[in-house]
Amino acid sequence: MPFYHFPSEFVYWTQISDHDKLKEKIKPEIQNLENLVKDSRSFSLCNVISSYPHTDPYNLFLKDEQIQHSIVWKPITTMLEEMSKKDEFRFINFDHLIIEGGWFNVYKKNHFQELHNHDGNPSFVNGRMYHPFLSLIYILDNPNDTNNTAFKIDEAPCHPRKTDVCFMTSEEKTIKEGTVMIFPSTMNHVVAPSSNDGRITIAYNVLACFK
């Protein structure tokens, strides 16, 4: 007999084909902005140099159409094509997607981020309601031996009560520099302390107008 799959959290990842060109283009831009961003804000629950929120003028270069195509639209298209072949993902039924915004994070040695997600309120855009849908993390540069991001689900079904389920990307060797990770905006994740200076990631949020 078949199974009915309820909507669930997931993490999808793929390697960016033109990573070397993107890194050559983007990394100097971020390095030029790093000190300006560092001096303009502080975070109480994490230790990272970040251009968040995505509305910050320092993030204007991340609106470049070619950058967004490579990091956001091409990987999402590939992911959705693969999902369409899997019955458990039939619940994803949207009309249109838009990018809410992007920002960058620079990690020095021992820098980290607390447990968080990218969920938020719906937004009206051109008279249509858009909801938080997907978030992406692109590993632009990583001097560490493994990736530092971990994803977490609280109280997973068919587990003992109060059991957390974690996906430690450090244990997945295919997640490395040049990888983009895509996950629901509701997905909790944390960034473990960096072992070295120079880890750089770029994050984007994508909103959906659902059918």
Side-chain angles (χ1 to χ4, degrees):
M1 295 294 290
F3 288 93
Y4 178 84
H5 294 266
F6 281 91
S8 63
E9 305 280 23
F10 62 86
V11 181
Y12 171 88
W13 64 93
T14 187
Q15 198 73 6
I16 300 297
S17 59
D18 54 347
H19 167 67
D20 291 338
K21 291 182 179 179
L22 282 173
K23 183 177 179 180
E24 183 179 357
K25 178 179 181 178
I26 297 173
K27 185 175 178 180
E29 189 90 33
I30 292 175
Q31 289 174 324
N32 289 335
L33 294 169
E34 184 179 327
N35 287 332
L36 296 174
V37 170
K38 180 174 63 175
D39 295 337
S40 67
R41 74 209 65 205
S42 62
F43 299 90
S44 59
L45 298 177
C46 59
N47 192 3
V48 63
I49 300 169
S50 178
S51 66
Y52 183 84
H54 53 76
T55 53
D56 197 296
Y58 297 128
N59 296 318
L60 289 176
F61 73 98
L62 293 176
K63 294 185 177 182
D64 179 90
E65 290 185 3
Q66 184 56 50
I67 291 175
Q68 291 187 347
H69 171 76
S70 295
I71 298 177
V72 181
W73 296 127
K74 187 176 179 181
I76 285 180
T77 299
T78 302
M79 181 192 76
L80 292 174
E81 288 174 352
E82 294 187 27
M83 281 182 165
S84 68
K85 303 172 186 176
K86 300 179 184 295
D87 184 60
E88 60 264 36
F89 288 114
R90 64 184 180 276
F91 64 89
I92 298 179
N93 191 16
F94 59 86
D95 225 9
H96 189 245
L97 302 179
I98 59 172
I99 296 175
E100 184 182 33
W103 65 95
F104 63 84
N105 301 301
V106 179
Y107 297 83
K108 302 299 184 182
K109 185 176 182 179
N110 296 323
H111 277 191
F112 64 93
Q113 286 210 53
E114 82 290 0
L115 188 69
H116 68 286
N117 60 52
H118 297 185
D119 196 13
N121 296 319
S123 300
F124 269 107
V125 180
N126 296 326
R128 305 180 74 184
M129 179 71 81
Y130 286 82
H131 298 263
F133 181 42
L134 297 172
S135 295
L136 300 90
I137 298 174
Y138 172 45
I139 308 168
L140 180 70
D141 198 359
N142 188 22
N144 303 319
D145 293 334
T146 59
N147 187 47
N148 296 60
T149 311
F151 296 88
K152 178 183 174 184
I153 295 177
D154 297 325
E155 299 205 32
C158 301
H159 285 70
R161 291 193 64 200
K162 307 297 182 183
T163 298
D164 299 334
V165 176
C166 294
F167 171 39
M168 311 295 292
T169 63
S170 59
E171 298 175 0
E172 177 53 64
K173 300 304 181 184
T174 60
I175 298 180
K176 55 188 178 179
E177 180 181 310
T179 298
V180 61
M181 298 174 286
I182 307 174
F183 51 95
S185 297
T186 53
M187 186 80 174
N188 287 326
H189 54 286
V190 63
V191 180
S194 182
S195 303
N196 300 285
D197 288 346
R199 182 177 188 264
I200 302 174
T201 62
I202 294 172
Y204 282 99
N205 287 333
V206 174
L207 306 181
C209 180
F210 291 101
K211 293 183 180 179

Coordinates of all heavy atoms in Angstrom, one line a residue, residues 166-204:
C166 N 19.3 16.0 14.3 CA 20.2 17.0 13.7 C 20.9 16.4 12.5 O 21.2 15.3 12.4 CB 21.3 17.4 14.7 SG 20.7 18.3 16.2
F167 N 21.0 17.3 11.5 CA 21.8 17.0 10.3 C 23.1 17.8 10.4 O 23.1 19.0 10.2 CB 21.0 17.3 9.0 CG 21.9 17.2 7.8 CD1 22.8 16.2 7.6 CD2 21.7 18.1 6.7 CE1 23.5 16.1 6.4 CE2 22.4 18.0 5.6 CZ 23.3 17.0 5.4
M168 N 24.2 17.1 10.7 CA 25.5 17.8 10.8 C 26.2 17.8 9.4 O 26.6 16.7 9.0 CB 26.4 17.1 11.8 CG 25.7 16.8 13.2 SD 25.3 18.3 14.1 CE 26.9 18.8 14.5
T169 N 26.2 18.9 8.8 CA 26.8 19.0 7.4 C 28.3 18.7 7.4 O 28.8 18.4 6.4 CB 26.5 20.3 6.7 OG1 27.1 21.4 7.5 CG2 25.0 20.6 6.7
S170 N 28.9 18.8 8.6 CA 30.3 18.5 8.7 C 30.6 17.0 8.4 O 31.7 16.6 8.1 CB 30.8 18.8 10.1 OG 30.1 18.1 11.1
E171 N 29.5 16.2 8.5 CA 29.7 14.8 8.3 C 29.4 14.4 6.8 O 29.5 13.2 6.4 CB 28.8 14.0 9.2 CG 29.1 14.2 10.7 CD 28.1 13.5 11.6 OE1 27.1 12.9 11.1 OE2 28.2 13.6 12.8
E172 N 29.0 15.4 6.0 CA 28.7 15.2 4.6 C 29.8 15.8 3.8 O 29.9 17.0 3.6 CB 27.3 15.8 4.3 CG 26.9 15.7 2.8 CD 27.0 14.2 2.3 OE1 26.3 13.4 2.8 OE2 27.9 14.0 1.4
K173 N 30.7 15.0 3.2 CA 31.9 15.5 2.5 C 31.5 16.2 1.2 O 32.3 17.0 0.7 CB 32.8 14.3 2.2 CG 33.3 13.6 3.4 CD 34.0 14.5 4.4 CE 34.5 13.8 5.7 NZ 35.1 14.7 6.7
T174 N 30.3 16.0 0.7 CA 30.0 16.7 -0.6 C 29.5 18.1 -0.3 O 29.3 18.9 -1.3 CB 28.9 15.9 -1.3 OG1 27.7 15.8 -0.5 CG2 29.4 14.5 -1.7
I175 N 29.3 18.5 0.9 CA 29.0 19.9 1.3 C 30.2 20.6 1.6 O 30.9 20.3 2.7 CB 28.0 19.9 2.5 CG1 26.6 19.2 2.1 CG2 27.7 21.4 2.8 CD1 25.6 19.2 3.1
K176 N 30.7 21.5 0.8 CA 32.0 22.1 0.9 C 31.9 23.5 0.2 O 30.9 24.0 -0.2 CB 33.0 21.2 0.2 CG 32.7 20.9 -1.3 CD 33.6 19.9 -1.9 CE 33.1 19.6 -3.3 NZ 34.0 18.6 -4.0
E177 N 33.1 24.1 0.1 CA 33.2 25.4 -0.7 C 32.6 25.2 -2.1 O 32.9 24.2 -2.7 CB 34.6 25.9 -0.8 CG 34.7 27.2 -1.5 CD 36.2 27.7 -1.6 OE1 36.9 27.7 -0.5 OE2 36.6 28.0 -2.7
G178 N 31.7 26.2 -2.4 CA 31.1 26.1 -3.7 C 29.7 25.4 -3.7 O 29.0 25.4 -4.7
T179 N 29.3 24.9 -2.6 CA 28.0 24.3 -2.4 C 27.0 25.3 -2.0 O 27.2 26.2 -1.2 CB 28.1 23.2 -1.3 OG1 29.0 22.2 -1.7 CG2 26.7 22.5 -1.1
V180 N 25.7 25.2 -2.5 CA 24.6 25.9 -2.1 C 23.6 25.0 -1.4 O 23.4 23.9 -2.0 CB 23.9 26.7 -3.2 CG1 23.4 25.9 -4.3 CG2 22.8 27.6 -2.6
M181 N 23.2 25.3 -0.2 CA 22.2 24.5 0.5 C 20.9 25.2 0.5 O 20.8 26.4 0.7 CB 22.6 24.3 2.0 CG 24.0 23.5 2.1 SD 24.5 23.5 3.8 CE 25.1 25.2 4.1
I182 N 19.8 24.5 0.1 CA 18.5 25.0 0.1 C 17.6 24.3 1.1 O 17.6 23.0 1.2 CB 17.9 24.8 -1.4 CG1 18.8 25.4 -2.4 CG2 16.5 25.5 -1.5 CD1 18.4 25.1 -3.8
F183 N 16.8 25.0 1.8 CA 15.9 24.5 2.8 C 14.7 25.4 3.1 O 14.8 26.6 2.8 CB 16.8 24.3 4.1 CG 17.5 25.5 4.6 CD1 17.0 26.4 5.5 CD2 18.8 25.8 4.0 CE1 17.7 27.5 5.9 CE2 19.5 26.9 4.4 CZ 18.9 27.8 5.4
P184 N 13.7 24.8 3.7 CA 12.5 25.7 4.0 C 12.9 26.8 5.0 O 13.8 26.6 5.9 CB 11.5 24.7 4.7 CG 11.9 23.4 4.2 CD 13.4 23.4 4.1
S185 N 12.3 28.0 4.8 CA 12.7 29.1 5.7 C 12.4 28.8 7.2 O 13.0 29.5 8.0 CB 11.9 30.3 5.2 OG 12.3 30.7 3.9
T186 N 11.5 27.9 7.4 CA 11.2 27.5 8.8 C 12.2 26.6 9.5 O 12.2 26.4 10.7 CB 9.8 26.8 8.9 OG1 9.9 25.7 8.0 CG2 8.7 27.7 8.5
M187 N 13.2 26.2 8.7 CA 14.2 25.2 9.2 C 15.2 25.8 10.2 O 15.9 26.7 9.8 CB 14.9 24.5 8.0 CG 15.8 23.4 8.4 SD 14.9 21.9 8.6 CE 16.2 20.7 8.8
N188 N 15.2 25.3 11.4 CA 16.2 25.8 12.4 C 17.6 25.3 12.0 O 17.8 24.1 11.6 CB 15.9 25.3 13.8 CG 14.7 26.0 14.4 OD1 14.4 27.2 14.1 ND2 13.9 25.3 15.2
H189 N 18.6 26.2 12.1 CA 20.0 25.8 11.9 C 20.9 26.7 12.7 O 20.6 27.7 13.2 CB 20.3 26.0 10.4 CG 20.0 27.3 9.8 ND1 18.7 27.7 9.6 CD2 20.8 28.3 9.4 CE1 18.7 29.0 9.1 NE2 20.0 29.4 9.0
V190 N 22.1 26.2 12.9 CA 23.1 26.8 13.7 C 24.5 26.7 13.0 O 24.7 25.8 12.2 CB 23.2 26.1 15.1 CG1 23.6 24.7 15.0 CG2 24.1 26.9 16.0
V191 N 25.4 27.7 13.2 CA 26.7 27.6 12.6 C 27.7 27.4 13.8 O 27.8 28.3 14.6 CB 27.0 28.9 11.8 CG1 28.4 28.8 11.2 CG2 26.0 29.1 10.7
A192 N 28.4 26.3 13.8 CA 29.4 26.0 14.8 C 30.6 27.0 14.7 O 30.9 27.5 13.6 CB 29.9 24.6 14.7
P193 N 31.4 27.2 15.7 CA 32.5 28.1 15.7 C 33.5 27.7 14.6 O 33.8 26.5 14.4 CB 33.2 27.9 17.0 CG 32.0 27.6 17.9 CD 31.1 26.7 17.1
S194 N 33.9 28.7 13.8 CA 34.9 28.4 12.7 C 36.3 28.1 13.3 O 36.7 28.8 14.2 CB 34.9 29.7 11.8 OG 35.8 29.5 10.7
S195 N 37.0 27.2 12.6 CA 38.3 26.8 13.1 C 39.4 27.8 12.6 O 40.4 27.9 13.2 CB 38.6 25.4 12.6 OG 37.7 24.5 13.0
N196 N 39.0 28.6 11.6 CA 40.0 29.5 11.0 C 39.3 30.8 10.5 O 38.1 30.9 10.4 CB 40.7 28.8 9.7 CG 41.4 27.5 10.1 OD1 42.5 27.5 10.6 ND2 40.8 26.4 9.7
D197 N 40.2 31.8 10.3 CA 39.7 33.0 9.7 C 39.3 32.8 8.2 O 39.9 32.0 7.5 CB 40.7 34.1 9.7 CG 41.0 34.6 11.1 OD1 40.2 34.4 12.0 OD2 42.0 35.3 11.3
G198 N 38.2 33.5 7.8 CA 38.0 33.6 6.3 C 36.8 32.8 5.8 O 36.6 32.8 4.6
R199 N 36.0 32.2 6.6 CA 34.8 31.5 6.1 C 33.8 32.6 5.7 O 33.5 33.5 6.4 CB 34.2 30.6 7.1 CG 33.0 29.8 6.6 CD 32.4 28.9 7.7 NE 31.4 28.0 7.2 CZ 30.1 28.3 7.3 NH1 29.7 29.3 7.9 NH2 29.2 27.4 6.8
I200 N 33.3 32.5 4.4 CA 32.4 33.5 3.9 C 31.2 32.7 3.3 O 31.3 31.8 2.5 CB 33.0 34.4 2.8 CG1 34.2 35.1 3.3 CG2 32.0 35.4 2.3 CD1 35.0 35.9 2.3
T201 N 30.0 33.2 3.7 CA 28.8 32.6 3.1 C 27.9 33.7 2.6 O 28.0 34.9 3.1 CB 28.0 31.7 4.1 OG1 27.6 32.6 5.2 CG2 28.8 30.6 4.6
I202 N 27.0 33.4 1.7 CA 26.0 34.3 1.2 C 24.6 33.6 1.4 O 24.5 32.4 1.1 CB 26.2 34.6 -0.3 CG1 27.5 35.4 -0.4 CG2 25.0 35.4 -0.8 CD1 27.9 35.6 -1.9
A203 N 23.7 34.4 1.9 CA 22.3 33.8 2.2 C 21.3 34.6 1.4 O 21.4 35.8 1.2 CB 22.0 33.9 3.7
Y204 N 20.3 33.9 0.9 CA 19.1 34.5 0.2 C 17.9 33.9 0.8 O 17.8 32.7 1.2 CB 19.2 34.2 -1.3 CG 20.1 35.1 -2.1 CD1 21.3 34.6 -2.5 CD2 19.7 36.3 -2.5 CE1 22.2 35.3 -3.2 CE2 20.6 37.1 -3.3 CZ 21.8 36.6 -3.7 OH 22.7 37.3 -4.5

